[in-house]
Amino acid sequence: MGNDRYDFPVKPRTDMFDQRRAAQPESSREELFAERYEILLEWALHLTHQQRESAEDLVQDAFVQFMLARTQLEEIENINGYLRRLLRNMYLSRVTRLNQRLHDSVLSIADYDTLRLGWTAIEPPRRMQAAEELHQICAYACFRKESSRAGSVLILRFFLDYFPTEIASVLSSSRHCVDQWQRLARREAKVFLSEPNRLRFVDAKANAVSPWTRYPASDCDLMLALRETIFSSRHGVCLSREELQTAYAAGRTDALSTTELAHVVSCRSCLDAVNTILGLPLLAERYRAEDCSREEPPGDAGGSGGSGGAPTVLPKRFKRQLREIREHKPSELRIVVNGDLVSSLKVSSDLSEFDLNLPADEPVEFVEILSEQHVQLLFLSANDSVSEQWAEIELSENRTLEVCLRMIGGPTLRIVYNDPVVEEISADDYANIGMPSSPLTVVRKARAKRWLEALKEAFSRRPRVEESGSSATPSLSLLAQSPVATRTRAWASPAWLTVLIAAAMTGAFLLYKANLDRTPTATRLLAQAVVAETARGRSADRVAHRSINLEIRRSSEGALVSRHTIGSWENYDRRQHIQRLYDESGQLLAASTVNPDGSRTLYHHSSKFAQPRGANPESLLLDLEDVWQLAPDIHDYSAIIADAAVATVEERATDYVVTFARERIIGASRLLKATLTLRKSDLHPIEQTLVVQCCEELREYKFVETKFELIPTPEVAPGAFEIDAELVGKVAATGSAEKSGRATVGPLPSTSTTAFASTELEIDVAYLLNQAKADRNEQVALTRSASGSLRVEGVVETAERRDEFLRALRPFSNNPAVTIDLRTVAEAAKQKSVAAKESVREVDETGETIAAEEELRAHFSRRGMSGAAVDEAVRAYSSRVVNHSYRAVFQAIELKRLVARFSHVDLRTVAPDARSKWLDMMRSHALAFARENAALRRELQPVFLSETPDAIEDFAIQADADLARAVERLHRLAVANNDAIRQAFTISKASSASAFKSAQFRRNLETAARLSDRISRY
């Protein structure tokens, strides 16, 4: 449990977009996955509450991502843990996407690649209409195939589930041409659904197909009925096998004419004959005419299972889904983080790349890249202990999709999609498909590349003057003219004039477009936000509920003073507004109400009476204790900055940031800076920062909205707008409260049950937990949840040991931000035995001696030992060496955990006491590592370390960043040393003394000793 973070790749990829790593052969990846199929299915069944169909889909998605990934298998330290984490995050993604709509508009079923994909994406309430539309699309395809290849391509791809590359073989064409035909067919099919008379080729014959008379009893019935319609639309005579072989053997660009192709795609025998010639799967292998269920054909005679010796046979649809994803070509990429859609990008060039800033207050658990058809192209499980992570998949036609997640300086995503043969999309296509839902800037390098090639070609036409030792014979040709005349004519040539004019026109167009798309001014943006806020306020019978995290620091770079949570309720109809302020543990501190005239009233637990405040929001800046009432609000922000004309606007991927950076004096206070972040989609304020100085005291207030919802008025508790009794010195009678039905208004649900833990609190808990562990390698871990709370969980040997932990953590036992869940080994075994299954594992053959036995026997023989005494000495010596090595690597792991746990925090800004505790933990583990490493060197010195190692690398630590790099380096050295010792001093199949006896091992020992010394002295 405690080593979960080491189950996944931790090696950062600094040159992600410059160097390609060779992926392992698919056979080895598939075998690794097949060996784990049964256990993965068990995990998926547990996640999906024993819903087998959903579990199989989950494992299928994991198989696709595992096979597509270009990460080297050597970088995954624990494949089981990696796949289990992948399954868990994929399940969370599915649940999140089911509970919310990710897409701005609903796609037509004609927009999907295949009937199966579109039908599964259509919600059940729309399936009656979708079935009718499918029947019309089928009628269009059956009619259109006689006059255009677009109809035949639509039949093969959409209705018969042929892959694009397979269709290209049938047409003896390219994949690009197939995509163009399919795009044309989609566009025409959608027009046929709405206005069939707009299509010139449509006449009375198109309506000859009988209308859809009944809703299909099952999905299988629907697909069989549509395919039967296609096969019954066959015209003409069948081609003989010899004619088909001649057509495809001739190597023509179009093996079949349009009419011949129309017959083939609607004739079972002809289509299977073509499949046989081209080596493609037959129709019976693609789908069973009598059954469309998910059942797979039985395995081999020997059977298959996860616990046996032979690998499990993966379902055939897994490989088909893998190829489906590989050949899928998106026209739009949708970026989803933790299940929420954050942005999208239209693909219209051969290389599209952009950076996306993510909210810093929400940990990134997983990232998905989806297509506009909801196809999951890439899935990245994030690891909070790594500052930079990457994922890359390879698609068909040399297409690649890469994602890099960086945590340094705030989480950012970099997405690169490379499609060497991208389709040129016309203006008509934009009208049919729709523009991107987010105004992200796409780097269209293909167009720039074409311009550069045109310029190079123009330059290459300039004649060069070759030097020669002898005079050239005069000639009347152009090549014999003087350099000046030649250069003049080259610049005046029509080719150069065309290039220059086109470049000038392009520059003018880009300048004009940039002027149109310029970032709006602060005045205009705030005015638009006021309009949007007013529109939201017109929602009848709705109450706005907000949850806001407030962080107060001594300055923008100063230490943290406190963290609070603000709960806000606003009734637009009654003009009621109340805010409540809670501390870090969820205790109510104060409340503020806003009257219809704009004036405020403050209630504080220390005063027990109402305190009026001015109607002007800027009056709240006069007292630093009142600033919390200025939560992100358009009207309040406009009032406190006074002059929006001097504010600036920064446009980001998903939001606008308005910044007021001029000093404004308000009484004895000074407003030094004020920023407001507006969400692009609806101009809703989601974040605000205020820097205020009052009486020589400087404070920075950072408000971040974590929740906003509009709740129907009848569902709001009656006491939501009432002042809490504890703030006015009254105790509410229990009987009266029950009679009125009022609910006690305590902390917000999002904060009371999962209070946010500050960095200082996390360090305090880690410090006490570190002391309780006492350098023991126990399975007790401290984790932070997505909501910000802390959890101490694990398994200890005895009940007495658990009581020791509970006594050490007693100061936090009642803190709502800390959950403690410790169990004994017996309790954990009892829970695990409920779901335990008997399994058989094949035992690997091992050797009978350790790799370093010969040297050890010689050493102890020289000391006068013999016989059984030598055997016992070798055993004891090996045990001591291995134990020292394991204890050293344990300390290195603890050091790395401490650094990774607070990698997102600038520890120079936390309270001095908290930083001192963190450094004390770092020193204690570094000293413990130094002790174990020194003991290891003393054991090895007389037998194996007689030679002096070469020059040892030194490492200076002058800042926290240097400390983090030193810990990472120490961890790598400790792991490498432990592997070498384990191979040399333990009996296993991989026994070897080569790494242990190398000069590199000796250098690693000395370097680790110096690094631990530098860390302990920092």
Side-chain angles (χ1 to χ4, degrees):
M1 180 181 303
N3 293 333
D4 282 351
R5 66 176 68 246
Y6 300 98
D7 291 342
F8 317 107
V10 297
K11 186 176 181 180
R13 188 187 184 198
T14 56
D15 54 349
M16 167 183 164
F17 302 110
D18 298 327
Q19 296 180 0
R20 298 295 183 104
R21 299 182 182 221
Q24 285 71 18
E26 286 193 6
S27 58
S28 62
R29 285 181 175 271
E30 184 176 335
E31 290 170 2
L32 287 173
F33 195 93
E35 291 169 359
R36 294 162 174 80
Y37 174 70
E38 294 295 337
I39 186 64
L40 289 174
L41 186 58
E42 287 186 16
W43 290 341
L45 285 169
H46 176 73
L47 289 172
T48 59
H49 306 288
Q50 304 304 315
Q51 297 181 11
R52 188 170 186 86
E53 184 174 330
S54 299
E56 289 178 351
D57 287 341
L58 202 60
V59 177
Q60 175 179 281
D61 291 345
F63 170 75
V64 170
Q65 292 301 316
F66 187 68
M67 294 296 293
L68 288 178
R70 299 185 65 178
T71 308
Q72 287 186 340
L73 295 177
E74 290 79 3
E75 295 182 7
I76 304 177
E77 297 182 11
N78 185 336
I79 294 181
N80 287 347
Y82 172 79
L83 292 173
R84 187 168 188 170
R85 174 75 174 270
L86 186 63
L87 280 178
R88 170 187 170 274
N89 286 340
M90 282 185 163
Y91 174 73
L92 293 177
S93 168
R94 285 188 171 213
V95 172
T96 306
R97 278 192 277 152
L98 285 175
N99 293 334
Q100 63 182 357
R101 300 187 65 85
L102 290 181
H103 309 286
D104 298 333
S105 60
V106 179
L107 290 178
S108 166
I109 196 168
D111 287 320
Y112 291 91
D113 285 349
T114 64
L115 184 155
R116 287 181 182 272
L117 182 61
W119 187 256
T120 55
I122 297 294
E123 299 87 350
R126 293 179 52 220
R127 288 191 173 178
M128 176 72 78
Q129 177 186 354
E132 297 176 357
E133 291 177 349
L134 285 171
H135 185 67
Q136 296 178 46
I137 294 172
C138 184
Y140 153 80
C142 291
F143 177 76
R144 185 56 166 155
K145 65 183 173 64
E146 303 297 336
S147 59
S148 172
R149 292 175 178 266
S152 297
V153 169
L154 185 63
I155 288 175
L156 291 173
R157 182 71 179 118
F158 191 78
F159 292 102
L160 301 184
D161 283 340
Y162 275 67
F163 292 111
T165 51
E166 293 178 334
I167 301 174
S169 298
V170 174
L171 270 63
S172 293
S173 182
S174 65
R175 163 70 191 268
H176 181 67
C177 291
V178 172
D179 292 337
Q180 295 286 3
W181 285 122
Q182 188 177 11
R183 189 161 55 88
L184 174 63
R186 284 179 183 172
R187 186 168 63 242
E188 290 182 350
K190 288 192 287 185
V191 175
F192 185 82
L193 290 175
S194 57
E195 301 177 75
N197 295 329
R198 283 183 54 192
L199 299 176
R200 291 177 297 176
F201 57 84
V202 173
D203 54 21
K205 296 179 181 179
N207 300 321
V209 181
S210 60
W212 191 263
T213 57
R214 63 182 179 85
Y215 186 74
S218 66
D219 297 351
C220 180
D221 288 347
L222 172 65
M223 296 178 186
L224 290 177
L226 293 172
R227 287 168 181 154
E228 189 60 37
T229 300
I230 292 171
F231 292 132
S232 63
S233 68
R234 180 180 68 251
H235 297 289
V237 296
C238 296
L239 298 175
S240 65
R241 183 175 296 271
E242 291 73 17
E243 290 175 320
L244 290 174
Q245 289 177 340
T246 301
Y248 283 102
R252 302 199 312 262
T253 304
D254 298 323
L256 302 174
S257 66
T258 300
T259 304
E260 292 171 339
L261 181 63
H263 174 87
V264 167
V265 300
S266 55
C267 177
R268 286 190 175 93
S269 59
C270 290
L271 196 52
D272 270 343
V274 171
N275 290 335
T276 302
I277 294 172
L278 299 177
L280 303 178
L282 302 179
L283 293 177
E285 299 175 30
R286 297 177 185 275
Y287 59 89
R288 289 191 254 174
E290 72 282 359
D291 183 19
C292 296
S293 66
R294 295 167 55 91
E295 295 297 327
E296 298 289 343
D300 55 12
S304 61
S307 60
T312 300
V313 178
L314 294 174
K316 289 184 178 180
R317 60 186 178 86
F318 277 29
K319 294 184 180 180
R320 180 169 183 84
Q321 179 66 11
L322 175 62
R323 186 172 178 183
E324 190 72 54
I325 301 298
R326 270 207 174 112
E327 297 209 12
H328 179 68
K329 272 198 174 184
S331 61
E332 182 180 339
L333 298 177
R334 300 181 179 224
I335 299 91
V336 179
V337 178
N338 296 343
D340 296 323
L341 177 68
V342 297
S343 193
S344 60
L345 169 71
K346 183 70 68 176
V347 177
S348 57
S349 64
D350 63 343
L351 185 64
S352 302
E353 54 182 335
F354 61 94
D355 295 314
L356 186 64
N357 294 324
L358 301 177
D361 59 332
E362 182 178 353
V364 179
E365 295 188 1
F366 53 88
V367 178
E368 298 174 87
I369 307 296
L370 309 176
S371 75
E372 76 287 351
Q373 300 180 37
H374 328 309
V375 174
Q376 186 185 75
L377 298 173
L378 183 145
F379 193 97
L380 168 64
S381 288
N383 185 355
D384 57 2
S385 65
V386 182
S387 60
E388 179 178 313
Q389 302 161 74
W390 62 273
E392 179 182 4
I393 62 172
E394 186 171 10
L395 305 171
S396 61
E397 286 77 49
N398 296 320
R399 294 177 295 125
T400 57
L401 177 62
E402 301 168 313
V403 169
C404 180
L405 174 64
R406 295 186 178 94
M407 307 304 297
I408 300 176
T412 60
L413 265 180
R414 181 168 176 79
I415 298 98
V416 176
Y417 177 67
N418 180 27
D419 185 357
V421 187
V422 71
E423 300 177 8
E424 293 294 337
I425 302 179
S426 64
D428 293 337
D429 296 327
Y430 278 115
N432 288 327
I433 299 175
M435 296 300 290
S437 60
S438 178
L440 292 172
T441 302
V442 182
V443 182
R444 293 180 173 86
K445 293 187 176 180
R447 192 168 301 167
K449 184 178 179 181
R450 288 194 292 270
W451 275 108
L452 288 175
E453 289 174 353
L455 289 173
K456 289 180 180 178
E457 182 180 358
F459 271 112
S460 66
R461 293 174 182 171
R462 294 176 57 182
R464 299 179 180 177
V465 180
E466 299 183 0
E467 297 181 357
S468 176
S470 60
S471 59
T473 304
S475 174
L476 297 177
S477 67
L478 178 62
L479 297 177
Q481 296 181 9
S482 65
V484 176
T486 303
R487 191 179 298 113
T488 303
R489 181 164 299 187
W491 280 100
S493 66
W496 262 108
L497 291 176
T498 302
V499 171
L500 291 176
I501 293 173
M505 293 178 64
T506 302
F509 170 77
L510 293 177
L511 184 61
Y512 171 75
K513 189 175 185 299
N515 187 53
L516 286 180
D517 297 336
R518 68 183 185 276
T519 304
T521 63
T523 303
R524 186 175 67 178
L525 189 62
L526 292 177
Q528 293 173 349
V530 169
V531 174
E533 185 73 20
T534 304
R536 280 190 294 271
R538 292 173 183 168
S539 302
D541 299 326
R542 289 289 189 274
V543 173
H545 174 217
R546 302 176 78 187
S547 178
I548 300 167
N549 287 341
L550 170 60
E551 197 174 78
I552 305 176
R553 295 184 178 273
R554 291 194 176 93
S555 66
S556 58
E557 299 295 335
L560 180 69
V561 176
S562 61
R563 278 197 177 98
H564 300 279
T565 301
I566 300 172
S568 171
W569 296 86
E570 184 171 5
N571 189 318
Y572 296 111
D573 293 337
R574 300 180 182 178
R575 302 183 68 183
Q576 293 176 297
H577 188 197
I578 186 171
Q579 291 176 292
R580 292 182 175 88
L581 180 69
Y582 301 92
D583 65 9
E584 204 170 25
S585 62
Q587 299 297 318
L588 181 63
L589 300 179
S592 172
T593 60
V594 181
N595 306 315
D597 62 353
S599 61
R600 287 174 165 84
T601 304
L602 177 65
Y603 301 86
H604 201 278
H605 72 91
S606 61
S607 60
K608 305 299 183 182
F609 61 88
Q611 307 171 44
R613 291 294 187 267
N616 196 333
E618 64 183 17
S619 64
L620 298 176
L621 298 175
L622 297 175
D623 189 342
L624 294 179
E625 298 301 322
D626 286 341
V627 179
W628 69 269
Q629 301 172 58
L630 291 172
D633 181 85
I634 299 296
H635 302 279
D636 288 355
Y637 183 81
S638 300
I640 62 176
I641 67 173
D643 187 6
V646 299
T648 60
V649 177
E650 177 190 357
E651 182 178 2
R652 295 178 179 174
T654 59
D655 48 48
Y656 294 104
V657 180
V658 183
T659 302
F660 177 83
R662 293 194 180 186
E663 180 179 321
R664 182 165 182 243
I665 299 177
I666 304 170
S669 299
R670 291 191 301 161
L671 176 66
L672 303 181
K673 185 178 181 181
T675 66
L676 182 69
T677 303
L678 302 173
R679 194 163 50 208
K680 272 188 177 180
S681 58
D682 55 1
L683 297 183
H684 176 69
I686 57 175
E687 186 175 322
Q688 178 178 268
T689 302
L690 302 176
V691 180
V692 184
Q693 185 175 8
C694 181
C695 302
E696 303 302 325
E697 190 172 4
L698 188 65
R699 288 285 187 269
E700 182 198 60
Y701 298 81
K702 184 177 182 179
F703 304 82
V704 178
E705 182 185 84
T706 59
K707 184 178 183 180
F708 178 83
E709 56 184 346
L710 291 173
I711 305 175
T713 303
E715 298 180 11
V716 178
F721 290 93
E722 294 185 2
I723 300 301
D724 302 76
E726 59 190 287
L727 298 180
V728 292
K730 299 178 182 179
V731 179
T734 305
S736 60
E738 292 176 352
K739 289 180 181 179
S740 61
R742 295 173 181 172
T744 303
V745 182
L748 295 173
S750 61
T751 59
S752 61
T753 58
T754 56
F756 186 87
S758 66
T759 303
E760 286 80 0
L761 177 62
E762 186 174 4
I763 292 177
D764 287 340
V765 176
Y767 184 74
L768 292 183
L769 186 62
N770 187 70
Q771 290 184 326
K773 281 185 176 181
D775 290 341
R776 300 187 192 179
N777 188 6
E778 294 175 301
Q779 298 182 48
V780 179
L782 172 63
T783 59
R784 180 184 283 271
S785 68
S787 60
S789 63
L790 300 177
R791 184 176 181 85
V792 179
E793 60 182 345
V795 179
V796 296
E797 290 291 334
T798 62
E800 291 76 12
R801 183 60 179 149
R802 178 182 58 189
D803 293 339
E804 292 178 16
F805 273 103
L806 294 178
R807 284 194 298 270
L809 299 172
R810 184 174 297 168
F812 308 108
S813 59
N814 295 322
N815 194 313
V818 181
T819 301
I820 303 174
D821 181 16
L822 297 174
R823 292 170 294 166
T824 63
V825 173
E827 292 170 343
K830 182 182 294 185
Q831 294 179 2
K832 196 171 183 181
S833 64
V834 176
K837 293 182 64 177
E838 184 178 354
S839 62
V840 179
R841 296 186 61 184
E842 182 179 354
V843 179
D844 294 335
E845 294 183 2
T846 61
E848 298 180 353
T849 61
I850 62 175
E853 183 167 2
E854 183 178 348
E855 290 86 348
L856 289 177
R857 285 188 172 277
H859 170 73
F860 289 116
S861 297
R862 288 193 296 269
R863 299 178 63 178
M865 296 183 183
S866 62
V870 173
D871 295 339
E872 178 62 23
V874 169
R875 185 199 61 79
Y877 182 92
S878 301
S879 178
R880 290 195 303 273
V881 169
V882 170
N883 287 336
H884 285 310
S885 177
Y886 271 118
R887 286 195 288 265
V889 80
F890 167 73
Q891 299 299 334
I893 290 174
E894 290 297 314
L895 276 170
K896 186 175 180 181
R897 283 178 177 171
L898 277 174
V899 171
R901 174 173 297 282
F902 304 104
S903 60
H904 62 288
V905 178
D906 186 353
L907 289 170
R908 295 172 299 176
T909 63
V910 301
D913 179 63
R915 178 175 173 82
S916 176
K917 290 180 179 178
W918 177 71
L919 291 175
D920 185 55
M921 287 187 286
M922 297 290 292
R923 292 190 196 99
S924 65
H925 287 296
L927 290 172
F929 177 89
R931 287 194 299 270
E932 296 297 339
N933 193 61
L936 178 63
R937 292 161 66 196
R938 285 195 299 270
E939 290 284 357
L940 298 176
Q941 186 71 41
V943 186
F944 300 100
L945 302 182
S946 57
E947 299 180 12
T948 303
D950 301 335
I952 305 302
E953 173 189 0
D954 204 353
F955 200 102
I957 303 178
Q958 299 177 348
D960 288 356
D962 298 332
L963 180 66
R965 287 192 291 270
V967 169
E968 176 67 28
R969 172 75 169 148
L970 181 66
H971 175 263
R972 289 200 300 269
L973 292 173
V975 170
N977 290 345
N978 186 62
D979 288 342
I981 288 175
R982 180 171 48 83
Q983 293 173 11
F985 291 93
T986 61
I987 300 175
S988 67
K989 189 176 182 179
S991 293
S992 171
S994 58
F996 170 73
K997 295 179 179 179
S998 66
Q1000 183 63 47
F1001 175 78
R1002 295 191 294 273
R1003 286 194 296 269
N1004 287 353
L1005 276 180
E1006 295 298 330
T1007 304
R1010 292 196 182 186
L1011 277 173
S1012 60
D1013 179 68
R1014 299 294 186 272
I1015 294 171
S1016 65
R1017 294 175 181 272
Y1018 177 66

